[in-house]
Amino acid sequence: MKSMLRFRTAKSQRWVYRLLNGLAIAGSVLLCSLLLLPRLPGIELLGIVPNWLLIWVVAWSMKRPVWQGMLAGAVLGTIRDSLSAPHSHYPIHLLSLTLVGFLTARLQKQRYIQEDFISVALIVFAMNAIAESIGAVCNFWQGFREWEAVWRDYQRIVLTSSLLSSLWAPVLYYPLNRWWQYIHALEQSGGK
Amino acid sequence: MFSLRRWWERHGVPIVVTGLVLGGVWLLRHTQGSAIAEIYYWVSRPFQGEPQGVAIARLTSARVRELEQQLAEVQAQNDKLRQLLGYLEKQPQAIAAPVIGRSADSWWQQVTVGRGEADGVRVGAAVSGIGGLVGRVVQVTPHTSRVLLVSDPASRVGVAVSRSRDMGYIEGQGSLEARLQFFEKVPDVRPGDAIATSPVSRLYPAGLTVGRIKTLNKEKGAAPEAIVELTAPLESLEWVLIYPPRVAKESQNANALP
């Protein structure tokens, strides 16, 4: 009886953790989506803001299986598509962020890269460059602009946004990573 | 059967949650992120600045008022003449709206403004600011609307050269300069000429200032091209005026008729 009771409390506790985790995930994604719209002084550079949703996808995919990284990329990419381009023919961000989720999860950081702020910033820089390149190619394919105009914009956008994203990446990565470590530890101890 | 239940107990919740997330996101995509725009409106509401009346008062400096009076005088004369001709159009009432957000993507040129369906804004409405034409409403939520700027590569606006009435259309280039393509083979145009929305445009009110001719390229292709400097300061917009769309009105009238 006693052991059963303990089992039930452990189970309900785990549910509370999961609910809290879900709220934290939804809240942080919402915050990232909202941050795309304003141009706050100090965050903006040449009218470009950090790619918050990409930073989130990288933070999420760092220690998760590939399918979870891709799923998060697809979900957040769709959110960004819905916010940015009603007249776009391609789901540009769906493609780019799914690829980012896939690549980040496949990186095997434990084996090759030490986990610290510098490496997170570097990964975000590289992933943002890849994502913006996909954006540029899709933009060219849509045929709204000539190649030279896309190329000129691409150089400006890719450098500024990668730089800003990698500089702001720790601000998002650090609390999220700490939170997921904390939840993981709690679930492990609660489950036993 | 038992193993299926075990399997469902283990994986059921993740599958249901994933399904819910995907469904929600699909819905968000379908409504073009209107839920996020609405939340953004309520979050940013305390920072949106002064109410509409004060903003309009600030927009209207003494010089503008003087010009407006002159214009009213000319308009009154114009109305009289039109009345004589037998057609007097009702001037649409503009809605002043604060710019609360910018484009969520560096590739597209859009702004989010803090007036929506509840304030009478409809998709297709033309938007102008200090300096001239700004763009067109492409999406509305109850309290916000998304404006596609004239500088966006997907934007096309029918325009006319104010001096010679030669017509063409401008395409955005992602900057404060747009490309004008003429319909005529040999347009009467020179650098410095003012460009305004075309009188035959169905999407925009006629005669809204758009920009000024910067350079001309008569060699290019079949129809000559010009670079137009847009007069509205698209990178530092704070307030805009939204005009009810002409097309909607016309189509409503068309529907009313048998």
Side-chain angles (χ1 to χ4, degrees):
Chain A
M1 185 66 199
K2 217 175 181 181
S3 68
M4 192 136 153
L5 202 71
R6 200 185 296 154
F7 177 70
R8 287 189 71 172
T9 52
K11 210 174 174 187
S12 64
Q13 242 178 1
R14 209 185 300 164
W15 272 104
V16 172
Y17 297 149
R18 279 187 184 163
L19 192 70
L20 278 178
N21 195 19
L23 284 178
I25 288 171
S28 57
V29 170
L30 182 65
L31 184 71
C32 288
S33 318
L34 294 182
L35 275 174
L36 291 173
L37 293 173
R39 296 288 182 266
L40 301 171
I43 296 182
E44 166 218 32
L45 192 64
L46 301 172
I48 292 170
V49 285
N51 204 338
W52 292 107
L53 292 177
L54 182 130
I55 302 173
W56 199 97
V57 171
V58 170
W60 167 271
S61 314
M62 282 287 223
K63 290 175 189 161
R64 282 186 172 75
V66 170
W67 71 268
Q68 286 190 10
M70 287 175 75
L71 188 71
V75 167
L76 269 68
T78 310
I79 291 178
R80 192 157 182 208
D81 272 332
S82 75
L83 280 176
S84 61
H87 45 283
S88 172
H89 307 317
Y90 303 105
I92 299 176
H93 297 105
L94 175 74
L95 295 175
S96 59
L97 284 186
T98 309
L99 184 70
V100 165
F102 171 77
L103 289 177
T104 313
R106 275 303 295 272
L107 265 179
Q108 306 260 326
K109 287 144 306 279
Q110 297 84 345
R111 214 179 294 167
Y112 301 115
I113 306 175
Q114 268 195 325
E115 194 212 319
D116 54 26
F117 290 158
I118 308 291
S119 68
V120 170
L122 282 177
I123 292 171
V124 167
F125 190 96
M127 292 301 161
N128 193 61
I130 293 170
E132 291 295 357
S133 308
I134 293 176
V137 170
C138 288
N139 224 294
F140 172 62
W141 267 341
Q142 306 213 29
F144 287 133
R145 273 191 286 187
E146 283 156 22
W147 177 242
E148 297 92 48
V150 172
W151 174 242
R152 199 185 50 226
D153 269 11
Y154 169 69
Q155 295 173 32
R156 183 176 59 91
I157 290 171
V158 78
L159 255 184
T160 319
S161 112
S162 301
L163 208 65
L164 272 178
S165 304
S166 64
L167 286 176
W168 282 95
V171 174
L172 194 62
Y173 175 75
Y174 184 71
L176 278 178
N177 192 38
R178 278 301 292 270
W179 167 256
W180 282 324
Q181 273 175 352
Y182 175 70
I183 279 289
H184 190 68
L186 273 184
E187 269 202 35
Q188 291 290 314
S189 62
K192 272 174 191 167
Chain B
M1 194 64 211
F2 182 71
S3 65
L4 194 72
R5 232 178 86 188
R6 277 295 295 271
W7 180 86
W8 178 249
E9 263 174 21
R10 276 189 67 183
H11 299 292
V13 174
I15 288 173
V16 168
V17 169
T18 310
L20 282 177
V21 167
L22 288 178
V25 155
W26 181 81
L27 200 71
L28 201 65
R29 168 81 177 145
H30 214 68
T31 57
Q32 293 176 6
S34 60
I36 291 177
E38 275 295 299
I39 294 171
Y40 180 75
Y41 170 78
W42 291 109
V43 170
S44 68
R45 209 172 134 89
F47 312 104
Q48 275 173 26
E50 65 262 75
Q52 199 169 338
V54 184
I56 292 180
R58 257 200 351 174
L59 285 174
T60 324
S61 66
R63 173 71 178 147
V64 172
R65 220 168 287 148
E66 184 199 339
L67 289 174
E68 266 179 0
Q69 277 181 6
Q70 287 178 7
L71 188 68
E73 178 65 35
V74 175
Q75 239 167 12
Q77 288 180 9
N78 196 352
D79 283 348
K80 276 242 169 72
L81 292 171
R82 282 191 179 183
Q83 221 166 13
L84 288 177
L85 278 172
Y87 69 95
L88 182 69
E89 270 184 310
K90 270 229 168 224
Q91 278 301 313
Q93 183 80 37
I95 305 161
V99 175
I100 58 171
R102 297 233 133 220
S103 175
D105 186 316
S106 342
W107 288 101
W108 307 103
Q109 305 280 318
Q110 301 169 347
V111 293
T112 307
V113 299
R115 297 273 177 272
E117 218 168 355
D119 307 287
V121 180
R122 297 288 174 269
V123 172
V127 180
S128 82
I130 301 176
L133 183 69
V134 166
R136 208 154 68 85
V137 173
V138 288
Q139 186 224 347
V140 289
T141 73
H143 294 100
T144 70
S145 22
R146 208 188 286 170
V147 177
L148 183 73
L149 300 180
V150 268
S151 56
D152 190 283
S155 151
R156 276 184 184 42
V157 184
V159 294
V161 178
S162 295
R163 185 172 52 81
S164 62
R165 314 307 300 161
D166 278 344
M167 291 193 208
Y169 64 91
I170 59 165
E171 292 174 313
Q173 293 197 302
S175 64
L176 287 180
E177 287 172 0
R179 197 167 53 188
L180 201 175
Q181 294 202 302
F182 289 100
F183 296 138
E184 287 94 344
K185 272 219 166 105
V186 192
D188 174 15
V189 63
R190 46 179 185 249
D193 274 350
I195 302 294
T197 48
S198 155
V200 294
S201 168
R202 291 172 63 84
L203 298 175
Y204 296 92
L208 272 178
T209 310
V210 175
R212 212 160 261 290
I213 299 271
K214 199 178 171 198
T215 54
L216 260 174
N217 181 5
K218 289 196 173 172
E219 312 302 303
K220 180 140 185 179
E225 237 182 52
I227 296 296
V228 174
E229 211 173 3
L230 301 170
T231 36
L234 296 178
E235 273 157 19
S236 53
L237 287 173
E238 281 181 26
W239 282 81
V240 293
L241 294 172
I242 304 176
Y243 300 94
R246 275 167 98 187
V247 173
K249 225 167 132 191
E250 277 169 18
S251 62
Q252 268 172 16
N253 289 346
N255 289 342
L257 293 170

mmCIF file of all heavy atoms in Angstrom, chain A residues 33-71:
data_model
loop_
_atom_site.group_PDB
_atom_site.id
_atom_site.type_symbol
_atom_site.label_atom_id
_atom_site.label_comp_id
_atom_site.label_asym_id
_atom_site.label_seq_id
_atom_site.Cartn_x
_atom_site.Cartn_y
_atom_site.Cartn_z
ATOM 1 N N SER A 33 9.091 34.537 -30.504
ATOM 2 C CA SER A 33 8.296 35.003 -31.644
ATOM 3 C C SER A 33 7.990 36.490 -31.504
ATOM 4 O O SER A 33 8.048 37.242 -32.474
ATOM 5 C CB SER A 33 6.984 34.243 -31.731
ATOM 6 O OG SER A 33 7.172 32.896 -31.494
ATOM 7 N N LEU A 34 7.647 36.908 -30.271
ATOM 8 C CA LEU A 34 7.302 38.315 -30.071
ATOM 9 C C LEU A 34 8.520 39.210 -30.283
ATOM 10 O O LEU A 34 8.407 40.316 -30.798
ATOM 11 C CB LEU A 34 6.742 38.534 -28.657
ATOM 12 C CG LEU A 34 5.404 37.866 -28.364
ATOM 13 C CD1 LEU A 34 4.942 38.208 -26.967
ATOM 14 C CD2 LEU A 34 4.347 38.283 -29.363
ATOM 15 N N LEU A 35 9.702 38.707 -29.904
ATOM 16 C CA LEU A 35 10.921 39.522 -30.019
ATOM 17 C C LEU A 35 11.314 39.788 -31.468
ATOM 18 O O LEU A 35 12.144 40.655 -31.740
ATOM 19 C CB LEU A 35 12.086 38.821 -29.301
ATOM 20 C CG LEU A 35 12.179 39.094 -27.809
ATOM 21 C CD1 LEU A 35 13.264 38.245 -27.182
ATOM 22 C CD2 LEU A 35 12.454 40.555 -27.537
ATOM 23 N N LEU A 36 10.724 39.031 -32.419
ATOM 24 C CA LEU A 36 11.075 39.256 -33.823
ATOM 25 C C LEU A 36 10.487 40.564 -34.342
ATOM 26 O O LEU A 36 10.993 41.143 -35.298
ATOM 27 C CB LEU A 36 10.528 38.117 -34.686
ATOM 28 C CG LEU A 36 11.174 36.762 -34.520
ATOM 29 C CD1 LEU A 36 10.406 35.727 -35.317
ATOM 30 C CD2 LEU A 36 12.615 36.807 -35.000
ATOM 31 N N LEU A 37 9.387 41.018 -33.737
ATOM 32 C CA LEU A 37 8.661 42.153 -34.311
ATOM 33 C C LEU A 37 9.231 43.524 -33.948
ATOM 34 O O LEU A 37 9.368 44.365 -34.821
ATOM 35 C CB LEU A 37 7.184 42.067 -33.924
ATOM 36 C CG LEU A 37 6.443 40.882 -34.562
ATOM 37 C CD1 LEU A 37 5.049 40.756 -34.001
ATOM 38 C CD2 LEU A 37 6.376 41.052 -36.058
ATOM 39 N N PRO A 38 9.547 43.809 -32.683
ATOM 40 C CA PRO A 38 10.035 45.164 -32.398
ATOM 41 C C PRO A 38 11.505 45.336 -32.752
ATOM 42 O O PRO A 38 12.219 44.354 -32.932
ATOM 43 C CB PRO A 38 9.829 45.285 -30.885
ATOM 44 C CG PRO A 38 9.971 43.906 -30.374
ATOM 45 C CD PRO A 38 9.474 42.991 -31.460
ATOM 46 N N ARG A 39 11.927 46.581 -32.906
ATOM 47 C CA ARG A 39 13.354 46.869 -33.096
ATOM 48 C C ARG A 39 13.813 47.595 -31.836
ATOM 49 O O ARG A 39 13.733 48.808 -31.745
ATOM 50 C CB ARG A 39 13.570 47.757 -34.323
ATOM 51 C CG ARG A 39 13.166 47.110 -35.625
ATOM 52 C CD ARG A 39 14.142 46.012 -36.009
ATOM 53 N NE ARG A 39 13.788 45.410 -37.293
ATOM 54 C CZ ARG A 39 13.047 44.319 -37.420
ATOM 55 N NH1 ARG A 39 12.564 43.724 -36.353
ATOM 56 N NH2 ARG A 39 12.791 43.832 -38.612
ATOM 57 N N LEU A 40 14.254 46.820 -30.841
ATOM 58 C CA LEU A 40 14.648 47.414 -29.571
ATOM 59 C C LEU A 40 16.072 47.939 -29.675
ATOM 60 O O LEU A 40 16.933 47.290 -30.281
ATOM 61 C CB LEU A 40 14.551 46.372 -28.457
ATOM 62 C CG LEU A 40 13.166 45.768 -28.274
ATOM 63 C CD1 LEU A 40 13.205 44.603 -27.306
ATOM 64 C CD2 LEU A 40 12.186 46.811 -27.775
ATOM 65 N N PRO A 41 16.328 49.118 -29.105
ATOM 66 C CA PRO A 41 17.682 49.664 -29.170
ATOM 67 C C PRO A 41 18.669 48.722 -28.479
ATOM 68 O O PRO A 41 18.386 48.183 -27.418
ATOM 69 C CB PRO A 41 17.565 50.986 -28.417
ATOM 70 C CG PRO A 41 16.302 50.907 -27.645
ATOM 71 C CD PRO A 41 15.396 50.004 -28.401
ATOM 72 N N GLY A 42 19.817 48.505 -29.108
ATOM 73 C CA GLY A 42 20.822 47.618 -28.519
ATOM 74 C C GLY A 42 20.746 46.224 -29.086
ATOM 75 O O GLY A 42 21.740 45.520 -29.163
ATOM 76 N N ILE A 43 19.535 45.792 -29.494
ATOM 77 C CA ILE A 43 19.406 44.455 -30.075
ATOM 78 C C ILE A 43 19.489 44.546 -31.586
ATOM 79 O O ILE A 43 19.998 43.654 -32.254
ATOM 80 C CB ILE A 43 18.080 43.810 -29.625
ATOM 81 C CG1 ILE A 43 18.099 43.619 -28.117
ATOM 82 C CG2 ILE A 43 17.865 42.475 -30.303
ATOM 83 C CD1 ILE A 43 16.878 42.949 -27.555
ATOM 84 N N GLU A 44 18.993 45.656 -32.137
ATOM 85 C CA GLU A 44 18.925 45.805 -33.588
ATOM 86 C C GLU A 44 20.238 46.340 -34.156
ATOM 87 O O GLU A 44 20.940 47.114 -33.516
ATOM 88 C CB GLU A 44 17.785 46.769 -33.899
ATOM 89 C CG GLU A 44 17.799 47.279 -35.304
ATOM 90 C CD GLU A 44 17.385 48.725 -35.397
ATOM 91 O OE1 GLU A 44 17.652 49.486 -34.450
ATOM 92 O OE2 GLU A 44 16.817 49.092 -36.414
ATOM 93 N N LEU A 45 20.567 45.899 -35.362
ATOM 94 C CA LEU A 45 21.725 46.442 -36.073
ATOM 95 C C LEU A 45 21.345 46.548 -37.542
ATOM 96 O O LEU A 45 20.982 45.547 -38.160
ATOM 97 C CB LEU A 45 22.921 45.508 -35.891
ATOM 98 C CG LEU A 45 24.289 46.034 -36.310
ATOM 99 C CD1 LEU A 45 24.695 47.206 -35.454
ATOM 100 C CD2 LEU A 45 25.331 44.932 -36.195
ATOM 101 N N LEU A 46 21.377 47.749 -38.107
ATOM 102 C CA LEU A 46 20.984 47.992 -39.503
ATOM 103 C C LEU A 46 19.581 47.460 -39.799
ATOM 104 O O LEU A 46 19.322 46.915 -40.869
ATOM 105 C CB LEU A 46 21.969 47.325 -40.474
ATOM 106 C CG LEU A 46 23.427 47.747 -40.383
ATOM 107 C CD1 LEU A 46 24.283 46.873 -41.268
ATOM 108 C CD2 LEU A 46 23.585 49.206 -40.775
ATOM 109 N N GLY A 47 18.700 47.588 -38.818
ATOM 110 C CA GLY A 47 17.326 47.134 -39.023
ATOM 111 C C GLY A 47 17.147 45.631 -38.946
ATOM 112 O O GLY A 47 16.087 45.114 -39.260
ATOM 113 N N ILE A 48 18.199 44.922 -38.563
ATOM 114 C CA ILE A 48 18.119 43.453 -38.490
ATOM 115 C C ILE A 48 18.218 43.025 -37.029
ATOM 116 O O ILE A 48 19.019 43.565 -36.276
ATOM 117 C CB ILE A 48 19.253 42.824 -39.320
ATOM 118 C CG1 ILE A 48 19.004 43.109 -40.799
ATOM 119 C CG2 ILE A 48 19.349 41.328 -39.083
ATOM 120 C CD1 ILE A 48 20.153 42.761 -41.689
ATOM 121 N N VAL A 49 17.379 42.067 -36.647
ATOM 122 C CA VAL A 49 17.395 41.582 -35.267
ATOM 123 C C VAL A 49 17.932 40.152 -35.235
ATOM 124 O O VAL A 49 17.951 39.474 -36.258
ATOM 125 C CB VAL A 49 15.988 41.615 -34.621
ATOM 126 C CG1 VAL A 49 15.598 43.020 -34.255
ATOM 127 C CG2 VAL A 49 14.954 40.995 -35.526
ATOM 128 N N PRO A 50 18.388 39.689 -34.045
ATOM 129 C CA PRO A 50 18.861 38.305 -33.968
ATOM 130 C C PRO A 50 17.767 37.330 -34.362
ATOM 131 O O PRO A 50 16.589 37.608 -34.188
ATOM 132 C CB PRO A 50 19.222 38.132 -32.489
ATOM 133 C CG PRO A 50 19.322 39.487 -31.929
ATOM 134 C CD PRO A 50 18.503 40.385 -32.770
ATOM 135 N N ASN A 51 18.176 36.188 -34.851
ATOM 136 C CA ASN A 51 17.257 35.145 -35.295
ATOM 137 C C ASN A 51 16.871 34.308 -34.077
ATOM 138 O O ASN A 51 17.362 33.199 -33.884
ATOM 139 C CB ASN A 51 18.004 34.302 -36.329
ATOM 140 C CG ASN A 51 17.067 33.615 -37.256
ATOM 141 O OD1 ASN A 51 15.904 33.425 -36.919
ATOM 142 N ND2 ASN A 51 17.565 33.243 -38.415
ATOM 143 N N TRP A 52 15.955 34.848 -33.248
ATOM 144 C CA TRP A 52 15.684 34.234 -31.936
ATOM 145 C C TRP A 52 15.197 32.794 -32.055
ATOM 146 O O TRP A 52 15.572 31.930 -31.265
ATOM 147 C CB TRP A 52 14.648 35.069 -31.180
ATOM 148 C CG TRP A 52 15.150 36.405 -30.757
ATOM 149 C CD1 TRP A 52 14.809 37.610 -31.300
ATOM 150 C CD2 TRP A 52 16.098 36.693 -29.722
ATOM 151 N NE1 TRP A 52 15.487 38.619 -30.675
ATOM 152 C CE2 TRP A 52 16.277 38.096 -29.701
ATOM 153 C CE3 TRP A 52 16.809 35.912 -28.816
ATOM 154 C CZ2 TRP A 52 17.143 38.726 -28.811
ATOM 155 C CZ3 TRP A 52 17.665 36.542 -27.927
ATOM 156 C CH2 TRP A 52 17.825 37.929 -27.936
ATOM 157 N N LEU A 53 14.335 32.537 -33.038
ATOM 158 C CA LEU A 53 13.779 31.188 -33.156
ATOM 159 C C LEU A 53 14.866 30.185 -33.533
ATOM 160 O O LEU A 53 14.848 29.038 -33.091
ATOM 161 C CB LEU A 53 12.648 31.161 -34.181
ATOM 162 C CG LEU A 53 11.396 31.928 -33.748
ATOM 163 C CD1 LEU A 53 10.356 31.922 -34.839
ATOM 164 C CD2 LEU A 53 10.806 31.325 -32.484
ATOM 165 N N LEU A 54 15.842 30.638 -34.335
ATOM 166 C CA LEU A 54 16.958 29.750 -34.689
ATOM 167 C C LEU A 54 17.803 29.436 -33.462
ATOM 168 O O LEU A 54 18.207 28.281 -33.254
ATOM 169 C CB LEU A 54 17.813 30.400 -35.771
ATOM 170 C CG LEU A 54 18.980 29.560 -36.269
ATOM 171 C CD1 LEU A 54 18.983 29.513 -37.772
ATOM 172 C CD2 LEU A 54 20.313 30.069 -35.779
ATOM 173 N N ILE A 55 18.050 30.443 -32.630
ATOM 174 C CA ILE A 55 18.813 30.203 -31.392
ATOM 175 C C ILE A 55 18.072 29.174 -30.534
ATOM 176 O O ILE A 55 18.668 28.267 -29.963
ATOM 177 C CB ILE A 55 19.002 31.517 -30.602
ATOM 178 C CG1 ILE A 55 19.715 32.564 -31.458
ATOM 179 C CG2 ILE A 55 19.787 31.260 -29.331
ATOM 180 C CD1 ILE A 55 19.784 33.925 -30.808
ATOM 181 N N TRP A 56 16.751 29.311 -30.494
ATOM 182 C CA TRP A 56 15.955 28.376 -29.694
ATOM 183 C C TRP A 56 16.093 26.951 -30.236
ATOM 184 O O TRP A 56 16.286 26.003 -29.470
ATOM 185 C CB TRP A 56 14.481 28.815 -29.713
ATOM 186 C CG TRP A 56 13.665 28.225 -28.607
ATOM 187 C CD1 TRP A 56 13.352 28.809 -27.420
ATOM 188 C CD2 TRP A 56 13.060 26.919 -28.571
ATOM 189 N NE1 TRP A 56 12.594 27.958 -26.655
ATOM 190 C CE2 TRP A 56 12.402 26.793 -27.335
ATOM 191 C CE3 TRP A 56 13.019 25.851 -29.471
ATOM 192 C CZ2 TRP A 56 11.705 25.657 -26.969
ATOM 193 C CZ3 TRP A 56 12.328 24.695 -29.096
ATOM 194 C CH2 TRP A 56 11.675 24.607 -27.854
ATOM 195 N N VAL A 57 16.002 26.816 -31.543
ATOM 196 C CA VAL A 57 16.109 25.484 -32.155
ATOM 197 C C VAL A 57 17.484 24.876 -31.860
ATOM 198 O O VAL A 57 17.599 23.697 -31.535
ATOM 199 C CB VAL A 57 15.861 25.553 -33.681
ATOM 200 C CG1 VAL A 57 16.177 24.226 -34.342
ATOM 201 C CG2 VAL A 57 14.416 25.907 -33.958
ATOM 202 N N VAL A 58 18.538 25.702 -31.949
ATOM 203 C CA VAL A 58 19.884 25.190 -31.656
ATOM 204 C C VAL A 58 19.967 24.753 -30.196
ATOM 205 O O VAL A 58 20.462 23.665 -29.887
ATOM 206 C CB VAL A 58 20.946 26.266 -31.978
ATOM 207 C CG1 VAL A 58 22.303 25.843 -31.439
ATOM 208 C CG2 VAL A 58 21.031 26.489 -33.475
ATOM 209 N N ALA A 59 19.445 25.596 -29.281
ATOM 210 C CA ALA A 59 19.501 25.262 -27.854
ATOM 211 C C ALA A 59 18.750 23.955 -27.584
ATOM 212 O O ALA A 59 19.193 23.120 -26.800
ATOM 213 C CB ALA A 59 18.899 26.398 -27.027
ATOM 214 N N TRP A 60 17.629 23.779 -28.242
ATOM 215 C CA TRP A 60 16.797 22.591 -28.061
ATOM 216 C C TRP A 60 17.481 21.339 -28.614
ATOM 217 O O TRP A 60 17.501 20.291 -27.986
ATOM 218 C CB TRP A 60 15.457 22.816 -28.759
ATOM 219 C CG TRP A 60 14.597 21.605 -28.940
ATOM 220 C CD1 TRP A 60 14.610 20.757 -29.995
ATOM 221 C CD2 TRP A 60 13.593 21.108 -28.043
ATOM 222 N NE1 TRP A 60 13.671 19.776 -29.834
ATOM 223 C CE2 TRP A 60 13.035 19.951 -28.635
ATOM 224 C CE3 TRP A 60 13.103 21.520 -26.810
ATOM 225 C CZ2 TRP A 60 12.030 19.221 -28.040
ATOM 226 C CZ3 TRP A 60 12.092 20.786 -26.212
ATOM 227 C CH2 TRP A 60 11.568 19.646 -26.811
ATOM 228 N N SER A 61 18.063 21.469 -29.799
ATOM 229 C CA SER A 61 18.569 20.285 -30.495
ATOM 230 C C SER A 61 19.924 19.814 -29.991
ATOM 231 O O SER A 61 20.354 18.720 -30.339
ATOM 232 C CB SER A 61 18.688 20.570 -31.996
ATOM 233 O OG SER A 61 17.549 21.206 -32.464
ATOM 234 N N MET A 62 20.606 20.654 -29.190
ATOM 235 C CA MET A 62 21.954 20.327 -28.730
ATOM 236 C C MET A 62 22.044 18.937 -28.108
ATOM 237 O O MET A 62 22.963 18.182 -28.387
ATOM 238 C CB MET A 62 22.407 21.343 -27.691
ATOM 239 C CG MET A 62 22.857 22.638 -28.300
ATOM 240 S SD MET A 62 24.420 22.457 -29.094
ATOM 241 C CE MET A 62 25.213 23.934 -28.557
ATOM 242 N N LYS A 63 21.094 18.614 -27.225
ATOM 243 C CA LYS A 63 21.218 17.350 -26.487
ATOM 244 C C LYS A 63 20.013 16.469 -26.726
ATOM 245 O O LYS A 63 19.547 15.790 -25.824
ATOM 246 C CB LYS A 63 21.334 17.655 -25.000
ATOM 247 C CG LYS A 63 22.639 18.291 -24.628
ATOM 248 C CD LYS A 63 22.620 18.666 -23.184
ATOM 249 C CE LYS A 63 23.826 19.494 -22.849
ATOM 250 N NZ LYS A 63 23.630 20.223 -21.611
ATOM 251 N N ARG A 64 19.457 16.544 -27.938
ATOM 252 C CA ARG A 64 18.265 15.736 -28.187
ATOM 253 C C ARG A 64 18.452 14.911 -29.446
ATOM 254 O O ARG A 64 19.283 15.218 -30.276
ATOM 255 C CB ARG A 64 17.052 16.642 -28.309
ATOM 256 C CG ARG A 64 16.546 17.109 -26.956
ATOM 257 C CD ARG A 64 15.266 17.870 -27.095
ATOM 258 N NE ARG A 64 14.676 18.154 -25.791
ATOM 259 C CZ ARG A 64 15.117 19.057 -24.950
ATOM 260 N NH1 ARG A 64 16.173 19.770 -25.263
ATOM 261 N NH2 ARG A 64 14.534 19.248 -23.798
ATOM 262 N N PRO A 65 17.615 13.866 -29.576
ATOM 263 C CA PRO A 65 17.714 13.046 -30.799
ATOM 264 C C PRO A 65 17.350 13.843 -32.053
ATOM 265 O O PRO A 65 16.691 14.887 -31.965
ATOM 266 C CB PRO A 65 16.697 11.928 -30.566
ATOM 267 C CG PRO A 65 16.047 12.189 -29.284
ATOM 268 C CD PRO A 65 16.694 13.306 -28.596
ATOM 269 N N VAL A 66 17.789 13.315 -33.182
ATOM 270 C CA VAL A 66 17.638 14.029 -34.452
ATOM 271 C C VAL A 66 16.175 14.358 -34.759
ATOM 272 O O VAL A 66 15.843 15.471 -35.155
ATOM 273 C CB VAL A 66 18.255 13.186 -35.591
ATOM 274 C CG1 VAL A 66 17.896 13.772 -36.935
ATOM 275 C CG2 VAL A 66 19.769 13.157 -35.446
ATOM 276 N N TRP A 67 15.269 13.378 -34.531
ATOM 277 C CA TRP A 67 13.868 13.621 -34.920
ATOM 278 C C TRP A 67 13.264 14.741 -34.093
ATOM 279 O O TRP A 67 12.462 15.538 -34.594
ATOM 280 C CB TRP A 67 13.036 12.344 -34.843
ATOM 281 C CG TRP A 67 12.749 11.851 -33.442
ATOM 282 C CD1 TRP A 67 13.490 10.971 -32.723
ATOM 283 C CD2 TRP A 67 11.651 12.224 -32.612
ATOM 284 N NE1 TRP A 67 12.934 10.775 -31.493
ATOM 285 C CE2 TRP A 67 11.797 11.514 -31.386
ATOM 286 C CE3 TRP A 67 10.562 13.069 -32.762
ATOM 287 C CZ2 TRP A 67 10.900 11.651 -30.339
ATOM 288 C CZ3 TRP A 67 9.660 13.194 -31.703
ATOM 289 C CH2 TRP A 67 9.826 12.487 -30.515
ATOM 290 N N GLN A 68 13.688 14.847 -32.825
ATOM 291 C CA GLN A 68 13.146 15.939 -32.000
ATOM 292 C C GLN A 68 13.649 17.290 -32.475
ATOM 293 O O GLN A 68 12.919 18.282 -32.486
ATOM 294 C CB GLN A 68 13.534 15.729 -30.533
ATOM 295 C CG GLN A 68 12.742 14.631 -29.874
ATOM 296 C CD GLN A 68 12.954 14.585 -28.374
ATOM 297 O OE1 GLN A 68 13.547 15.480 -27.787
ATOM 298 N NE2 GLN A 68 12.461 13.536 -27.746
ATOM 299 N N GLY A 69 14.929 17.315 -32.872
ATOM 300 C CA GLY A 69 15.491 18.558 -33.399
ATOM 301 C C GLY A 69 14.768 19.006 -34.657
ATOM 302 O O GLY A 69 14.412 20.171 -34.811
ATOM 303 N N MET A 70 14.505 18.029 -35.545
ATOM 304 C CA MET A 70 13.827 18.360 -36.801
ATOM 305 C C MET A 70 12.393 18.810 -36.551
ATOM 306 O O MET A 70 11.905 19.749 -37.179
ATOM 307 C CB MET A 70 13.846 17.155 -37.738
ATOM 308 C CG MET A 70 15.209 16.893 -38.329
ATOM 309 S SD MET A 70 15.248 15.398 -39.298
ATOM 310 C CE MET A 70 14.405 15.937 -40.768
ATOM 311 N N LEU A 71 11.725 18.124 -35.598
ATOM 312 C CA LEU A 71 10.332 18.478 -35.297
ATOM 313 C C LEU A 71 10.256 19.906 -34.765
ATOM 314 O O LEU A 71 9.430 20.719 -35.210
ATOM 315 C CB LEU A 71 9.769 17.498 -34.269
ATOM 316 C CG LEU A 71 8.277 17.627 -34.014
ATOM 317 C CD1 LEU A 71 7.503 17.135 -35.219
ATOM 318 C CD2 LEU A 71 7.864 16.853 -32.778
#
